[in-house]
Each structure stands twice: as structure tokens, then as C-alpha cells.
Amino acid sequence: MKTTISQVGKHVEETVTIGAWLANKRSSGKIAFLQLRDGTGFIQGVVVKAEAGEEVFTQAKEMTQESSLYVTGIVREDDRAPSGYELTVTGVEVINEAKDYPITPKEHGTEFLMDHRHLWLRSKRQHAIMKIRNEIIRATYEFFHEEGFVKVDPPILTGSSAEGTTNLFHTKYFDENAYLSQSGQLYMEAAAMALGKVFSFGPTFRAEKSKTRRHLIEFWMIEPEMAFMDHDDSLEVQENYVTHVIQSVLKNCKLELKALDRDTSKLENIVAPFPRITYDEAIDMLKKDGHEIEWGEDFGAPHETAIAEKYDKPVFITHYPADIKAFYMKPDPNREEVVLCADLIAPEGYGEVIGGSQRIDDEALLKERYQEHNLSDETYKWYMDLRTYGSVPHSGFGLGLERTVAWISGTEHVRETIPFPRLLNRLYP
Ligand code: 4AD
Ligand code: MG
């Protein structure tokens, strides 16, 4: 019977055949241990010379790393195995013999691994990270569908910019100039006026010359937008969403978290509500701790980490100065120099995972703001129409998928959290 590694538990003491790759092996004169992987999981195949026979044993011993195989064997329960099962191999058919696979069990440098990203993805660690990424995406759809949101897809090629004009990727759109989307937000605002509560999930692009462990040139963002919801309503959605994602990964990715040696005690307590502090309070905290920062300056990674260290949950920093935030954020009616916004800072130094705000709903103020930011009337005419025709209070936010994967999986650098990272000096593979 043909099956997969993830399904072997249904076939204990039965003979099964699995299509797999040889991840690693070791052997002695009488017994060979095959580390097999098939995409759904990892399992150890045991070939005992006396039982499998001379021919199968010799064949197994000579197989090379990453050769593809059909392995036949009997499924055994085994408490010592991470997955709980082992395979007593009775036969092997080699599909393709791999010669000189470049990624060997020894240590390799990061650049070497990045050059071989297309193969590196097969490793146990990368497999676990991709499975966690997948679970976060699954839990995202589950959460927003249960909350009555409609998934809407904003365009990738656009004429407008949401997050400033300095880091746009330019391209030609026949005779016009176009950019790759930095954020779907402006289009999601239009969608919210049509469908109420919406969310998008798609690639976004920032031509940022930053080379940090938190920045990608191409990253994926989840962007909910909600009509008739104010800043506080939005924070509640955010903390419930993040809680759902964390708890889903804890429940459904136990093997993966274990493969990554993730300290899950740091995730278990992450349940809404999350602490909230204002930008002013954050500045005071930092000054008290000896950081050189003045009111009006934006936070850098060390500042975010210093604040996050004071909490064992993610923390919202709210009410930033308008001058350091995007043009569309609504000023606080009680204090015009700050805006109704929040960044959600993850614990353990993983930085800002969400940026969000209530949006300006007043037509005149919005016009003033985008003129201040030198954005053209013509390009934003459609965006202004949303204020002209039935404007309502509305809020939304963007969660960066890769930073969230990095945090939950305990991965130091975002380059390992996306299958094929686009980095400052990397377009290959
Ligand atoms: O804070 P940002 O720039 O917010 C927006 O784009 C809003 N328009 C979202 C909205 O309200 N709909 O980006 C949102 C999140 C950040 O908190 C961060 O997690 C992630 O996107 N992010 C990046 N992730 C990886 N690499 C980069 N260069 C990133 N820039 C932002
Ligand atoms: Mg931000």
C-alpha cells in the first residue's frame, strides 16, 4: 500500500511503500539507518542485513544523499522516534541517483546555503519553518473568515504609493510609469467601503537599502481593513488575530517547533489582551534607561527591543507623532500632533510585526495631507472619492508575514522565513 510519512500511523505493523528522498544515512556491518523524508515528514528506515537480505542491504548502504526512492517496509511504533514511528525496510527501488549533493551534513556558511536555497529548502530546519509559515497562513484565513471578513486581492502593479515615495520599485506600464505595490491598503480602503470587513494577503515590495535581519525587499503582508471601526476596535481585532495565529501554531506544529528547538513557554502565554503604551510613555521609558532619543524621532531596532524586553507579550505602541507616520493616519482629535495608530512590537527582539491606524475620513484634511506629501491630485483622485461619497470612520493594519514567522519559529533572520528571499544583494536563485 502506497502512503506518506505523515500517514504511517494508520498502518502500524502493515507493509507500506513510500516515495522519499534519502536525507542522511549511517551504517555498520549489519545494520543501516536511513533518514528518509518525503515532504510530509521525516522517518527513520532501518535495514537489518539478516532480515532484508544481502542485496537490499548492500543497495541501501551504497545509496547517496538526496537520491529519490520508493522504500517498502513495515511500520513500527517507536517511542524514541520524534514522529513516534520507524520503518523496518524490506525493499528499496532507486528512482534517481543523486551525485555529490552539495549540502552535506557538515556546517556550511550562510552565503553558500543562500546560493543553494532551492536545495536548502529540503533540510529539516527549513522544512519546519515553511510548515509553520503555512500554518500561520491557514490560521489567518480561518480567523478572518470566522470574523466575517471577505478576502480581496489588491493590484500588485499600481500608480499610487501608500508608504512614502522613497522606496518604490519603478517599472514601465507600457507608456505610463508604475510601481510594485508597497501595500494594498489604499485599495483595501475602497474594498471596505464595498464589502465592510476585508483582508488581503499578498506580496509587497520595498526598494529599501537596509540590510538587517528584519528587512526583505519582497515580503508578504496580511492587510485587514474595516468600515465603521475606530482605532480601539482595530487593536482588539489585532490582538485576537495574533492570539489565534500563535495558539494554532502551538497546537498544529508541535513536531516543527520541536525540530527548531523553539522555547514554546515564551509563546504559550500569548493571549489577548496585549499591553498598550503610548509613544510618549515609550520615549520616557527609553530615556530613563539611558537611550539617546528625543520626542519626534522614530524608533530603531534597539529601541523596540528595549521596550519589548519589559513585557512577556507583544506590546502596542500607540499615538506616534504625525510627522513620522504615513499621510493617511487620522490625527488624535484631542491632540493634533499625534495620530491614532499603533505598531505591535513582538517579544524577544523580533521587532514590529504590525503597523496600523485609523484612517483620515475627512475629505479636506486628507487633501491637505497628501499635498503636504507631494502626492498628485490626479493619481489620488479615486482615493479622495472614498471620502466624497459616503465617508465613514475606518481602520486597518498590516501584519508582516515573515517577521511573524521569524518570531513564532524562533528564527534569527527573516531570510529563512520565505522560500526564496529577495534581499539587497540577492536575486538568485
Ligand atoms: O508598517 P508598514 O509599512 O505598514 C503598512 O504598509 C500599512 N499600509 C499597513 C496597513 O495599515 N494596511 O508595514 C506593515 C508591516 C510591518 O509591521 C512589518 O511587519 C512588515 O509589514 N514589513 C516588513 N517585513 C519585512 N521586510 C520589510 N522590508 C518590511 N517592511 C514592513
Ligand atoms: Mg511600520
Side-chain angles (χ1 to χ4, degrees):
M1 142 109 41
K2 218 168 164 178
T3 190
T4 59
I5 293 172
S6 65
Q7 299 299 311
V8 291
K10 294 180 182 154
H11 303 285
V12 175
E13 298 302 326
E14 289 173 27
T15 296
V16 297
T17 298
I18 296 169
W21 291 267
L22 184 68
N24 201 355
K25 69 157 198 248
R26 63 196 164 83
S27 58
S28 66
K30 294 177 193 154
I31 189 161
F33 298 100
L34 312 177
Q35 304 308 324
L36 302 167
R37 58 169 200 89
D38 75 342
T40 73
F42 291 79
I43 196 168
Q44 174 162 275
V46 185
V47 196
V48 183
K49 189 175 176 180
E51 290 167 25
E54 184 82 41
E55 199 185 330
V56 173
F57 184 73
T58 308
Q59 190 193 15
K61 251 184 98 160
E62 284 170 5
M63 279 182 327
T64 51
Q65 189 189 352
E66 285 307 312
S67 288
S68 47
L69 324 160
Y70 285 116
V71 184
T72 300
I74 305 158
V75 179
R76 311 278 194 209
E77 254 172 328
D78 188 329
D79 291 346
R80 293 160 305 173
S83 68
Y85 305 97
E86 213 178 60
L87 198 67
T88 303
V89 176
T90 55
V92 179
E93 180 196 332
V94 176
I95 304 167
N96 172 259
E97 188 188 325
K99 293 185 195 82
D100 302 324
Y101 187 69
I103 305 177
T104 57
K106 69 162 199 204
E107 285 277 313
H108 294 283
T110 305
E111 282 308 300
F112 179 86
L113 291 170
M114 292 294 283
D115 283 340
H116 294 86
R117 183 64 178 165
H118 50 295
L119 302 176
W120 188 24
L121 277 174
R122 301 179 184 192
S123 78
K124 199 166 196 170
R125 180 180 156 77
Q126 299 307 316
H127 179 267
I129 297 171
M130 289 306 128
K131 291 290 285 282
I132 289 172
R133 178 183 171 105
N134 176 65
E135 176 59 19
I136 295 171
I137 296 168
R138 193 204 61 76
T140 293
Y141 279 78
E142 180 177 77
F143 177 83
F144 288 111
H145 283 300
E146 277 174 12
E147 296 289 321
F149 286 65
V150 179
K151 165 96 190 326
V152 170
D153 305 313
I156 309 281
L157 284 167
T158 121
S160 49
S161 76
E163 300 301 316
T165 48
T166 50
N167 60 18
L168 288 168
F169 263 109
H170 295 256
T171 179
K172 272 285 174 214
Y173 192 73
F174 304 107
D175 294 333
E176 290 179 69
N177 288 311
Y179 317 111
L180 296 182
S181 177
Q182 296 167 308
S183 157
Q185 180 197 318
L186 307 188
Y187 295 96
M188 296 308 288
E189 289 182 58
M193 302 306 140
L195 294 150
K197 292 198 287 185
V198 292
F199 77 104
S200 67
F201 171 52
T204 46
F205 306 85
R206 309 261 169 113
E208 277 173 302
K209 293 256 157 82
S210 26
K211 214 176 169 185
T212 80
R213 66 186 189 91
R214 295 172 182 179
H215 285 88
L216 289 161
I217 305 297
E218 178 180 303
F219 64 99
W220 286 63
M221 197 158 35
I222 290 116
E223 293 188 272
E225 195 68 35
M226 305 158 283
F228 308 106
M229 298 275 258
D230 66 16
H231 173 63
D232 286 329
D233 297 332
S234 176
L235 295 191
E236 219 172 287
V237 174
Q238 292 174 45
E239 62 196 7
N240 288 335
Y241 166 44
V242 171
T243 300
H244 181 72
V245 163
I246 302 261
Q247 296 305 322
S248 298
V249 174
L250 284 172
K251 184 167 153 230
N252 300 323
C253 295
K254 291 199 174 82
L255 279 177
E256 289 79 10
L257 291 164
K258 207 158 146 195
L260 295 168
D261 274 329
R262 180 66 168 114
D263 178 359
T264 52
S265 70
K266 296 224 158 64
L267 298 173
E268 275 148 20
N269 299 328
I270 297 182
V271 177
F274 299 161
R276 296 166 192 198
I277 60 169
T278 62
Y279 171 88
D280 291 10
E281 288 167 333
I283 290 282
D284 287 347
M285 254 181 210
L286 290 168
K287 278 186 166 170
K288 216 179 265 170
D289 291 353
H291 290 268
E292 275 183 33
I293 188 163
E294 292 304 323
W295 197 95
E297 289 174 38
D298 206 354
F299 301 130
H303 302 126
E304 287 176 356
T305 303
I307 293 164
E309 270 169 5
K310 299 186 188 295
Y311 303 91
D312 55 4
K313 285 185 187 185
V315 51
F316 286 114
I317 305 178
T318 69
H319 300 84
Y320 283 70
D323 288 346
I324 54 169
K325 287 290 179 190
F327 75 97
Y328 51 72
M329 293 188 182
K330 188 180 171 76
D332 182 343
N334 304 313
R335 198 178 154 210
E336 296 283 320
E337 72 271 25
V338 299
V339 283
L340 298 175
C341 73
D343 284 354
L344 183 68
I345 314 298
E348 301 175 73
Y350 288 97
E352 177 200 325
V353 286
I354 293 184
S357 67
Q358 184 164 346
R359 322 304 192 187
I360 292 173
D361 47 61
D362 181 76
E363 185 171 4
L365 178 62
L366 184 62
K367 194 156 191 170
E368 199 181 296
R369 279 291 152 89
Y370 73 69
Q371 282 169 351
E372 277 167 24
H373 283 78
N374 296 321
L375 304 168
S376 89
D377 282 1
E378 209 184 318
T379 313
Y380 289 87
K381 162 108 188 39
W382 68 268
Y383 188 60
M384 281 305 300
D385 276 354
L386 308 177
R387 277 63 182 177
T388 312
Y389 304 111
S391 190
V392 297
H394 64 288
S395 304
F397 61 93
L399 173 132
L401 178 63
E402 289 74 18
R403 289 193 195 168
T404 307
V405 176
W407 165 34
I408 298 179
S409 65
T411 303
E412 178 77 10
H413 198 297
V414 287
R415 67 183 162 226
E416 286 182 60
T417 64
I418 183 164
F420 296 98
R422 303 292 116 177
L423 298 162
L424 196 49
N425 297 313
R426 180 165 295 280
L427 195 60
Y428 178 91

